[in-house]
Amino acid sequence: MKREIRIGMVGYQFMGKAHSHAYRDLPFYFDVSTTPVLKAICGRKEESVKEAAEKMGWESYETDWRKLIAREDIDVIDIVTPNHTHAEIAIAAAKAGKHIITEKPLALTLEEAKEMYSAVKEHNVGHLICHNYRYAPAVQYAKKLIEEGLLGRIYHFRARYLQDFIMSPDFPLIWRLKKEVAGSGALGDIGAHSIDLGRFLAGEIQSLVGTKETFIKERPIGEMSGGLSASSDFSSVGEVTVDDACAFLCRFENGALGTFEATRFAGGNRNKNEFEINGENGSLRWNMEDMNKLDVYLAKDEEGLQGFRTINCTEEIHPYAGAYWPAGHIIGYEHTFINLFHSFLEGLYQDKKDYPDFEDGVKNQAVLAAVEESDETGGWVNVPS
Amino acid sequence: MKREIRIGMVGYQFMGKAHSHAYRDLPFYFDVSTTPVLKAICGRKEESVKEAAEKMGWESYETDWRKLIAREDIDVIDIVTPNHTHAEIAIAAAKAGKHIITEKPLALTLEEAKEMYSAVKEHNVGHLICHNYRYAPAVQYAKKLIEEGLLGRIYHFRARYLQDFIMSPDFPLIWRLKKEVAGSGALGDIGAHSIDLGRFLAGEIQSLVGTKETFIKERPIGEMSGGLSASSDFSSVGEVTVDDACAFLCRFENGALGTFEATRFAGGNRNKNEFEINGENGSLRWNMEDMNKLDVYLAKDEEGLQGFRTINCTEEIHPYAGAYWPAGHIIGYEHTFINLFHSFLEGLYQDKKDYPDFEDGVKNQAVLAAVEESDETGGWVNVPS
Amino acid sequence: MKREIRIGMVGYQFMGKAHSHAYRDLPFYFDVSTTPVLKAICGRKEESVKEAAEKMGWESYETDWRKLIAREDIDVIDIVTPNHTHAEIAIAAAKAGKHIITEKPLALTLEEAKEMYSAVKEHNVGHLICHNYRYAPAVQYAKKLIEEGLLGRIYHFRARYLQDFIMSPDFPLIWRLKKEVAGSGALGDIGAHSIDLGRFLAGEIQSLVGTKETFIKERPIGEMSGGLSASSDFSSVGEVTVDDACAFLCRFENGALGTFEATRFAGGNRNKNEFEINGENGSLRWNMEDMNKLDVYLAKDEEGLQGFRTINCTEEIHPYAGAYWPAGHIIGYEHTFINLFHSFLEGLYQDKKDYPDFEDGVKNQAVLAAVEESDETGGWVNVPS
Amino acid sequence: MKREIRIGMVGYQFMGKAHSHAYRDLPFYFDVSTTPVLKAICGRKEESVKEAAEKMGWESYETDWRKLIAREDIDVIDIVTPNHTHAEIAIAAAKAGKHIITEKPLALTLEEAKEMYSAVKEHNVGHLICHNYRYAPAVQYAKKLIEEGLLGRIYHFRARYLQDFIMSPDFPLIWRLKKEVAGSGALGDIGAHSIDLGRFLAGEIQSLVGTKETFIKERPIGEMSGGLSASSDFSSVGEVTVDDACAFLCRFENGALGTFEATRFAGGNRNKNEFEINGENGSLRWNMEDMNKLDVYLAKDEEGLQGFRTINCTEEIHPYAGAYWPAGHIIGYEHTFINLFHSFLEGLYQDKKDYPDFEDGVKNQAVLAAVEESDETGGWVNVPS
């Protein structure tokens, strides 16, 4: 008899779709001991949330997240709303004894993030932050190779997250471009993913120096129309209060040199989330747009035969890949969420928590805060450990 | 109110999993007028089929396909069993007035294929053959570009389907390697997909000359253990009676020159299903292992700036892609089935049948038969139109 | 004290430039025991040949190739004229006791080719046919790996040579498009290179079935203006009497299955000369447009870490590469000729002839002839050994 | 009648070979008004320099660079010695009225660089710094596209120069690893090239913040044995006094955000010199290991058909490419020097100096100095204009 875990989700846009899908598909692909039940979805507009519930297969809906949290038939609160709401909802959910899943970045500020982490610890509930890119099989495999010592001492971690969806000056002032809602721009939205990959693979960041830039400072008022596209109202404009791009240099605790860049102004790069890591015995390269592949260089390979191998991480031996299709039959973006939730749900009632949690969220937020501080001071900033 | 269509599926291995998943996910991604219901699944071993039904979300199960066909609560029979059973099941289903979905190749022989086609026409039921690779958004977009005349006169279509999963002499004699069950080897299993892509994009094949080869002629007895992996029993061996590899040259009706190769002996190529098409005004290239990308060359591009563009077919403008994720967030193998079934279910009750049907199956089978004949005679063979 | 070898070259277009350059650069890069001296160049138009001699560094010039051959200060006759002149010049040179270098294809017909080979054997002179692509370091390295047994039994050799320089119907009727001058079209011009790579790497071709096609049957009269570009006179047209494209399937003597295609109608492919070879233990891939790279797949690599390695064959360990630049500093097209001539000049006076000679030219021509015959008969043709 | 220009070169290792070759090949490929004459080469070890002169085709040799400068039959002094000698030799040459070519970086320090620039201006001699990578046809074409406005406002320039030749701790303490001889490590050796590409394509750098790192702090004493390989004497070790890796963030004068990284510790990257530039209307990407290709993204391309084009910059329309081979026949590393010297020699006696000169050298050195300063202060540094 399988344990059921009843999910209540707040929000239902891009991330809501990704999460809903992952809950639905998880038991299809994996033999899980804990099965998610899509119990209730929550949003302020009744008509929209009702439609979303039907489309995505939720049993019921709410229009007030406090009511959702109050429901006794909910075990997990999943927060996929804009960033400025994470803390309040999460803390309330923790007080209500619910396990919590939240999108990244954890919060608007480091302080908020710490409060959230305190709350989940105090109330002893499970907590997950959705750094889904860790869960591409190729990235999980990279982690395994590093842990097995294949690279040896790490010298370099370099990451870029390049997008271009807001390059047009006509693209509207969506919530992701307002500091009071999003906290930051490219930094927290996509840079946070690169930071998580860096922490996951190369370890903690000790100190950094960074900068950020807003290329287009005013935009027409407008809204997201789903996904990452949007429509504009040209009759009025507003100020962009977050970064369009950012970059920082850092030292990892292990002595590695890190370089990070995140931008929404790199034309032609729709979603190029890539990293390279160089160690004394080898190197790894990965790029989300080709997420099934991992490039591996091994210095021990015979002279003459040295070169990056392009490994299609779709074989049974590659983490999570065996649950899907035969070798060479690729998976996509959504599967990173299925794997992430698998890790959370299997770990929740056991003593093997290898998923990213609010502690990771706090550490990530500390890096984001350090970049903001460095941008202001112009100097190196130590990241609190 | 949405129409429901009740599916009964015979078989539950690799293809059964792919189909089941697609039925489940279809209404999540698309606003469909017809919703599939996973009514019943059928297999001979009760324990296994029962377990499969639970795992994949089927309401009930049967152990005799005749009973499945006899059930009144089934609208569609989906056949994902080995090739030698397609004809009998499909013809019986047609007689029972069921719509029919079947895996490729349609049948063991051209004669069988024709009988199947006659049956579905006689009984006026819907029919689909699962040439899913047509339904990668990049391939659908290629089709659209060709139909809009972007390439002009077609000169070349070249396709290769390269796999390597049976290269070890220890790989067992699975059903795919027995002529009486599979009909043919690489030819009908993967070559059939390339032929379908050729017919879809470049038109009908008029005549061809081909050859085939079996590199390893005896193998240990053994079984598939799911997907494309298998286990062997080394105490006894049997004869491989199908081709390990095949190739043919052809003329299309439009005068284009075609070259095709399909093999399971191309080490390092897990599932490299690729084609290139050259027309007077441009070229297109695609490869299943990078299925989201389409390379497009346009001769009209300004001098100096000419080169293949690598297009990430994940934008809303690309066929089917808008139903999934924002640009740059790739999809995978399984989505080709979701798109395929979307096309079938939306077309079934309307007058816009653009999905591959049994007529396509017969034409594809005619090409397979012509390759077999040419391999025997050593000469060119006309493909019956 | 180094031996000098005095070259007399007939012709001075594209190939004349490539050869002249290679003679000049050879002693710069390699410690050769035999130094080429650019003694005399020959062409019918005095003004042009005089200018070419000055530009390319030849000591003198002739306007009659018979005079060139008669000169006592010439040791080697290098033939870079259109194909229909190869036989007459080469046979005369052999009679005069000159060593002979000639461009490919060796001759217009197999009979001519055999006569040329008889002549050089009878007069005991050195002979080289310029299959320069063998001499990319990556291809030489591929050969070495195969000879060392890295691939084991060979299953597949597949080659494509794709160009697009004559796709415009306005491109003129240059000599390469006339059968009486060129012998054949894409077949002998570029297909011959693929055949040579196949013979070099996979062994002799036993039998084949092939076809060819002329897509544009009439063209304006015109001339090459150097390289592979040309100018047209639109007032008159002539018939294209060679193939625009060709393809064939073959069996190698070792049982491998071969597929070949050569075309000048593959838009976007400027000079894509590529092959892949699959053996029981590994695979190799190469493409002239990225000529410094060799992709190598080894089945013996640890499970999980299997994939094609992209090797930049620019290290000292790679054949010929050490003579040039440090690792990662690539070389280009012209270096294949330098390496080829190095092999010839070093082998000429020693007992280590590993360069392609007129025997290779005859065998290559036999394959070309078999393709032509198969195109006429429509059946398989044995290639005489 | 062509003007001759007589070269005297100091040094004859890796760069000496590259320069010598370029002088030899220049008149072969280009119709130049000024022909270089390889007059004399200079080195301290008579036997070695004599051998080098013969091998590389120099008419004579000297063992004292002062004597070389004093010779009246020398027009140009070409300095390819280690960095700490550039200033003294160049200033002496300027005083002697010789034109000067020098390798990068211009000098050990910004002060030295400025003195060198003053000297060449004072004595009114020609001056060239060998930033050869500008002269890959693909980079020249990138420059042309940018100047024509194809990209519009520039948002980002990011560059990485990744090597791995000193990763082994056994690699010896060659001169490139000593501050008193080399000035800096990866920074001045390869970072300087990236900086030059940034200045060439995106404009002047206004301010920066940077860091550097030495991963292996002691190495065995040893020597280069040509190229970038070396031999070690393990009986004694010495301190590495330059950076193994460095990175910096910067603002360009035009507002673009720049990120730079240079390292010799990126395993598997033999010589990966790459950049990407993003503008409001498009993006460009280039990588020296595939130096013939330029990736171009144009935002104006039709929706659906947007993607990076891979352009093989080997066509007559691409800068310098027409001098070499037909389209698709690639050139290599050495050709960047031929093109560079062509630009210098054609510009020297005319009023079209578009080659990198000592002013560029000073500006580049100012960036190097700013990185060093920033590494010490930990803050942003303005680059003097």
Side-chain angles (χ1 to χ4, degrees), chain A residues 17 21 24-25 27-29 55 229 270-271 290 293 315-316 323-326 329-330 332-335, chain B residues 17 21 24-25 27-29 55 229 270-271 290 293 315-316 323-325 329-330 332-335:
Chain A
K17 180 178 173 186
H21 178 269
R24 289 169 59 109
D25 268 22
F28 180 84
Y29 285 120
K55 184 79 195 308
S229 59
R270 299 303 193 231
N271 194 42
D290 282 312
K293 291 181 190 152
E315 301 177 39
E316 283 186 47
Y324 299 104
W325 310 107
H329 296 72
I330 69 169
Y333 168 71
E334 67 205 38
H335 300 80
Chain B
K17 180 179 173 185
H21 177 270
R24 288 169 59 109
D25 268 22
F28 180 85
Y29 286 119
K55 183 80 196 309
S229 58
R270 300 301 194 232
N271 194 41
D290 283 311
K293 292 181 189 152
E315 302 177 38
E316 283 186 47
Y324 299 104
W325 309 108
H329 297 70
I330 69 169
Y333 168 71
E334 67 205 37
H335 299 80

Side-chain angles (χ1 to χ4, degrees), chain D residues 151-224:
Chain D
L151 301 196
R153 178 181 166 192
I154 304 295
Y155 292 129
H156 288 288
F157 182 83
R158 63 184 68 87
R160 293 171 178 166
Y161 202 138
L162 309 180
Q163 292 186 335
D164 65 355
F165 74 106
I166 67 167
M167 284 187 75
S168 167
D170 296 342
F171 190 92
L173 191 64
I174 59 171
W175 71 261
R176 290 176 192 270
L177 302 181
K178 297 180 203 166
K179 187 176 177 60
E180 67 274 20
V181 184
S184 64
L187 175 61
D189 190 29
I190 53 179
H193 278 306
S194 294
I195 292 164
D196 184 67
L197 291 171
R199 293 185 55 250
F200 186 55
L201 297 172
E204 299 301 335
I205 293 172
Q206 197 169 56
S207 60
L208 62 82
V209 64
T211 188
K212 54 185 193 166
E213 185 64 61
T214 305
F215 296 113
I216 294 181
K217 297 188 166 48
E218 282 196 335
R219 289 180 177 278
I221 306 301
E223 286 187 14
M224 297 300 288

Side-chain angles (χ1 to χ4, degrees), chain A residues 10 18 33 60 132 137 139 144 162 167 177 199 204 210 215 269 300 307 313 350 364 382:
Chain A
V10 194
S33 60
S60 63
N132 60 301
V139 176
K144 182 170 173 284
L162 310 180
M167 284 187 75
L177 302 182
R199 292 185 56 249
E204 298 301 335
F215 295 115
N269 298 283
K300 72 180 176 192
C313 295
Q350 298 168 34
N364 197 301
N382 287 323

